[in-house]
C-alpha cells in the first residue's frame, strides 16, 4: 500500500516495556512509532477517574532500590521526584504489635540483623531457621528455576510461624502467588536483592502520585525525543510483506517498518503471533494471577503509618495513600488494602470483600471504629501479573524471535526478573538492544553490592 505510515521501528503496546523500548530507540536516533490500544499509556500500571466515586484510583505499585532500569527511565523522564523512599518495613500483628525491619549499622548482608533479632513477630527457633535459610541466597539465587518455594521451605525446615510472618508476606507480596507456584529461583532473588545485597537495593519506593500521572512523563519524554505515540490504536494483526518489511494493521490503516517490537501482555502476543507461519512459542505454561485492592476514604486520620505489612489476615499490605501523598489533616484519610494472589476474592461479591476487609482492619487499627467511612471501592485485577511457576523460564521467550525484524518485549519475556515494572522496562530495553544488535546497550548498571557482599555476591 502506498499510503502506509512508515517508521524504522513500530512498538506495539504502551506499557512500561513498550515505552522503555521506544525511548531507548528514539534516543538512538531511530524513527519510532508506538501504538497503544487504550486511551492512556502505562498498561497495567495505570490510574483512572472512578466514574461514581469521582476519585482517581489505582492499585498501588511499589519499587525497590534494585529496580535500576525503571529508576533510570523515571530519571530520564523527570518523574523520580514523585517516588517516596522508605528505609523500614513495619509488620503488624492483629492487636497492633509491631515488628520493624530496617537497616542498621552493620555492613551488608547483616544490615537488617539487629532489627530482625528484635522483631517480636518471630521466636528464636523461627529466626534461626530464617537465618539459615537466607544463607542459601547469600551469594545469589539458583540459576535453575525448577524447584518450588514450597519444596524449599520443607527442605530448609522452616517453622510455621516463620512461614506465616516472614516468608509468606514477602514472597506472596512480591511474586503474587502461593509457594507451590513460585520457583525458589525468583523467591531467592527477592531475598538476595532486598534483604542481603545492600541497604540501598532493598529500599522501598512508593509513587506519591496516581500511576498514570507518575508514568505519563515517560510517554511525554518519548514524544519530545522524536517518537510518535499513538493512543487508541489497537493493532489488529501483523504480517511480513514480500520485501521483508512488517505491516501492522490498525483500524484498516497500515503502518510499515523494518522492525516491530510486540510489547503486549502474553495473551495478546499469542493472538498476534498466531497467524504467522511456523509460530512456535508455547504459551500454555503462563498463568495470570489476580490482585484485589480495597480503597477506603475516612473523615479523619486513622493511622500514623504510611504503610505496613499485615500478618495472619487476607490483607497483606495497607497503604495510607493520604499520608504518602501528604494530604492535609482536614482532607481526611485514604487507605488502600492489598490482597495478593486473590483467587478466592475473584469469586466473591464486592460487598463481601469489603465487609471482611473492614473487620480485619479493625483488628490492627482499633481506633478506626471511631472514624466515619465516607466512601469505598473494591478493584479486582484478574490478570495483574503472571506467576513465576517452577520451570517457567524454559518457556519465557528471548526478545529476538525466529522472524527477522520481529522482537518481543513485556514482563513475561526472558529478563531474569519476575512480573514487575522493572522486568517490563528491562524487557523493552533488551528488545531495543536486540534491534540494534547490541543486546545490553540500553541497560542500566545493576545496583552495587555493599559491605561484605562486594566479595560474597556474584
Ligand atoms: C494490581 C497490580 C499491582 C501490581 N503491583 C506491582 C508492584 O507493586 N510493583 C511492580 O513492579 N509491578 C507491579 N505490578 C506489575 C506491573 O504492573 C507489570 O509487571 C508491568 O506494568 C507490565 O508492563 P508491560 O509493559 O510488560 O505490560 P502491560 O502493562 O500489560 O502493557 C501492555 C500494553 O499493550 C497494550 N496492548 C495490548 N494489546 C494491544 C494491541 N493489540 N495493540 C496495541 N496495544 C496493545 C495494552 O493496552 C498495554 O498498554 C502490578 C500489577 C497490577 C495489575
Amino acid at each position: 500500500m502506498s499510503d502506509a505510515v512508515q517508521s524504522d521501528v513500530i512498538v506495539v503496546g504502551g506499557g512500561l516495556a513498550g515505552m522503555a523500548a521506544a525511548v531507548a530507540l528514539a534516543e538512538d536516533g531511530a524513527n519510532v512509532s508506538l501504538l497503544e490500544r487504550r486511551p492512556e499509556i502505562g498498561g497495567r500500571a495505570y490510574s483512572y477517574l472512578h466514574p461514581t466515586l469521582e476519585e482517581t484510583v489505582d492499585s498501588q505499585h511499589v519499587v525497590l532500590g534494585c529496580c535500576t532500569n525503571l529508576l533510570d527511565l523515571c530519571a530520564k523522564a523527570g518523574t523520580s521526584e514523585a517516588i517516596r523512599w522508605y528505609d523500614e518495613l513495619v509488620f503488624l500483628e492483629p492487636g497492633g504489635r509491631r515488628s520493624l525491619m530496617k537497616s542498621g549499622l552493620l555492613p551488608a548482608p547483616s544490615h537488617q540483623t539487629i532489627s530482625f533479632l528484635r522483631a517480636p513477630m518471630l521466636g528464636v527457633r523461627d529466626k534461626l531457621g530464617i537465618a539459615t535459610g537466607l544463607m542459601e541466597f547469600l551469594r545469589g539465587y539458583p540459576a535453575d528455576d525448577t524447584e518450588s518455594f514450597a519444596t524449599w521451605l520443607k527442605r530448609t525446615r522452616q517453622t510455621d510461624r516463620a512461614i506465616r510472618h516472614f516468608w509468606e508476606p514477602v514472597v506472596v507480596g512480591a511474586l503474587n502467588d502461593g509457594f507451590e507456584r513460585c520457583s525458589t529461583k525468583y523467591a531467592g532473588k527477592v531475598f538476595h536483592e532486598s534483604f542481603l545485597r545492600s541497604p540501598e537495593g532493598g529500599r522501598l519506593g512508593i509513587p506519591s502520585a496516581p500511576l498514570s500521572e507518575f508514568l505519563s512523563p515517560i510517554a511525554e519524554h518519548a514524544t519530545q525525543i522524536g517518537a510518535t505515540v499513538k493512543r487508541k490504536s489497537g493493532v489488529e494483526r501483523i504480517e511480513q510483506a514480500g520485501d521483508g518489511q512488517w505491516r501492522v494493521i490498525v483500524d484498516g490503516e497500515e503502518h510499515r517498518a523494518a522492525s516491530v517490537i510486540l510489547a503486549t501482555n502474553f495473551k495478546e502476543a499469542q493472538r498476534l503471533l498466531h497467524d504467522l507461519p511456523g509460530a512456535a512459542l508455547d504459551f500454555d505454561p503462563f498463568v495470570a494471577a489476580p490482585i484485589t485492592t480495597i480503597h477506603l476514604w475516612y473523615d479523619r486520620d486513622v493511622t500514623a503509618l504510611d504503610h505496613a505489612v499485615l500478618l495472619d489476615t487476607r490483607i497483606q499490605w495497607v497503604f495510607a495513600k493520604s499520608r504518602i501523598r501528604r494530604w492535609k489533616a482536614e482532607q481526611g484519610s485514604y487507605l488502600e488494602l492489598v490482597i495478593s494472589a486473590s483467587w478466592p476474592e475473584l469469586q466473591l461479591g464486592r460487598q463481601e470483600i469489603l465487609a471482611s476487609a473492614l473487620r480485619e482492619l479493625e483488628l490492627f487499627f482499633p481506633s478506626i471504629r471511631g472514624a466515619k467511612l465516607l466512601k469505598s471501592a473494591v478493584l479486582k485485577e484478574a490478570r495483574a501479573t503472571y506467576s513465576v511457576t517452577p520451570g517457567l523460564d524454559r518457556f519465557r521467550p528471548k526478545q529476538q524471535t525466529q522472524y527477522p525484524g520481529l522482537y518481543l518485549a513485556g514482563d513475561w519475556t526472558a529478563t531474569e526478573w519476575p512480573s514487575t515494572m522493572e522486568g517490563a522496562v528491562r524487557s523493552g530495553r533488551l528488545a531495543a538492544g536486540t534491534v540494534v544488535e547490541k543486546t545490553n546497550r540500553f541497560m542500566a548498571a545493576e545496583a552495587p553490592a555493599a559491605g561484605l557482599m562486594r566479595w560474597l555476591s556474584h
Side-chain angles (χ1 to χ4, degrees), residues 11-19 35-38 40-46 59-63 67 70 173 233-236 263-265 268-269 271-272 290-293 338 381 383-386 409-412 418-425 427:
V11 178
V12 181
L16 276 159
M19 287 197 290
L35 305 174
E36 165 54 47
R37 179 168 61 184
R38 301 201 309 192
E40 71 277 348
I41 51 80
R44 277 169 277 161
Y46 77 114
S59 297
Q60 189 64 62
H61 280 47
V62 301
V63 303
C67 297
L70 173 68
S233 298
V235 171
E236 288 150 31
T264 67
N265 60 37
E268 189 63 4
R271 185 187 74 77
L272 289 168
I291 296 179
T292 297
T293 54
V338 180
E381 293 278 358
R383 310 184 64 80
T385 59
Y386 67 88
D411 60 354
W412 57 282
S419 180
T420 51
M421 295 186 285
E422 172 68 9
V425 173
S427 75

